[in-house]
Amino acid sequence: MTAAAPRHASPALRLTAAVLTLLSVLLTVLVAATWQPLMDADGTVARRLHSAALSEPGWTKANRIMTDWVWDPATMRLLILAVILWLLWRGARRLPLWLASAVAVGWVLQYALKAGVGRDRPKWAHPVDSASHAAFPSGHAMTVALVCGLLLWVLSRTPGVPAGLRYAAWTAAAVSVAGVCFTRVWLGVHWMSDVIGGALMGAAVAAIAAVAYGAVERSPRDERSEVRG
């Protein structure tokens, strides 16, 4: 069976990419400018969750397991690598390269922003976890959002996928992005705006990659099928 994938990004996808990009830029500007209302909100949320983390060691341990193993950036990159290899095995060529390039762009953007913004992480008298590099944007949140967004896009291009599986994939993606954002603030290694910014940026890169891919795709005569069975 040869799969015929959509050739152009939908207006909804283009709008989503634009909105996510705009929100990412706006939040980055507010963080870099240390906009006081945002800084105050970050501080309030961080203090409350850190206090809860100290009083709930069992829940804190569970959050560390999730952030260190399930939602760790290395785990996410292995997941997208597995999908890339599967696509290559199925006969795709351009799509796997596009996915790898999108992940690489996200990685470069993440560290460029960390260096450019240079935001300090929260500091606690009694920390429950530790992390290196600058705080904004959260690498965990950005990587999870990017990988989940790319995988949902690939799934949308694959015909014959049951509706139940699509629903499960969207649910898993939403839980993963929300979960990693919560764990990073709970563990006291990020501010709230770090994780929101990371999630927005990761989703924006995924959406832009999908839109750009639709723009460069050739006609069905010239383009090999992305998924072949």
Side-chain angles (χ1 to χ4, degrees), residues 113-175:
L113 286 170
K114 282 181 178 290
V117 176
R119 190 183 198 186
D120 291 334
R121 293 180 183 268
K123 294 181 175 61
W124 309 106
H126 304 287
V128 298
D129 202 355
S130 62
S132 56
H133 305 297
F136 184 90
S138 164
H140 279 69
M142 187 170 178
T143 303
V144 169
L146 173 57
V147 169
C148 287
L150 292 173
L151 294 181
L152 290 173
W153 172 53
V154 171
L155 191 66
S156 73
R157 298 176 60 85
T158 307
V161 178
L165 180 56
R166 294 182 187 275
Y167 176 79
W170 276 95
T171 301
V175 170

Side-chain angles (χ1 to χ4, degrees), residues 183-198:
T183 61
R184 301 307 285 168
V185 182
W186 178 276
L187 294 172
V189 293
H190 275 294
W191 306 104
M192 176 183 63
S193 55
D194 298 338
V195 296
I196 294 175

Side-chain angles (χ1 to χ4, degrees), residues 89-112:
W89 178 69
R90 297 293 295 270
R93 291 295 178 267
R94 179 182 295 172
L95 184 55
L97 177 61
W98 206 264
L99 293 175
S101 299
V103 172
V105 168
W107 184 84
V108 171
L109 177 62
Q110 172 194 324
Y111 281 97

